[in-house]
Amino acid sequence: MSTDEKNDRIFKALAASSRRAMLDMLKDHPQTTGELCARFPALDRCTVMQHLKVLEAADLVIVKREGRERWNYLNPLPIKDIHDRWIGPYAAQAVTLLGRLKDDLEG
């Protein structure tokens, strides 16, 4: 799979607010699928599983099965890769511009 295809999957996965909320819940510690279902009472189990499947396909969630339980772990590396490619350089440029503006206003 090409880098562009991987990025497309990541951006698609992050496009849904419920999937972003799931990632937020996994940020501090892994959770079982049942725990995630309990945190989304408006969604049925099948819908939660579909969202997790999209997150897993984007490599944002790593699944480990222990007996009957399915544990979901956040994989932050794809988000870091996007940050390094897209956000970091733009943020650095913005900080440079703000520094110049500050110097111009003070000078």
Side-chain angles (χ1 to χ4, degrees):
M1 179 182 316
S2 73
T3 302
D4 285 340
E5 290 171 329
K6 288 179 185 177
N7 286 338
D8 287 347
R9 284 187 179 190
I10 294 166
F11 283 114
K12 176 186 174 190
L14 295 174
S17 62
S18 54
R19 289 194 285 265
R20 291 191 307 271
M22 287 179 190
L23 292 176
D24 286 339
M25 290 175 189
L26 296 173
K27 182 174 50 177
D28 296 325
H29 57 86
Q31 295 187 33
T32 65
T33 301
E35 290 171 329
L36 287 172
C37 289
R39 291 177 162 239
F40 291 91
L43 302 177
D44 61 28
R45 185 175 181 85
C46 183
T47 303
V48 171
M49 291 292 295
Q50 288 173 341
H51 283 304
L52 288 171
K53 184 177 178 181
V54 172
L55 291 170
E56 189 177 3
D59 200 29
L60 291 166
V61 168
I62 298 170
V63 175
K64 298 208 183 213
R65 288 180 174 75
E66 292 180 14
R68 294 184 59 175
E69 292 184 321
R70 173 188 154 113
W71 285 87
N72 302 283
Y73 294 79
L74 172 66
N75 180 12
L77 294 178
I79 296 170
K80 182 192 178 308
D81 292 342
I82 286 175
H83 175 272
D84 292 348
R85 179 177 176 193
W86 295 98
I87 299 167
Y90 292 108
Q93 183 179 13
V95 169
T96 300
L97 290 173
L98 288 173
R100 285 186 199 157
L101 177 62
K102 178 183 178 276
D103 293 343
D104 290 346
L105 292 173
E106 291 175 349

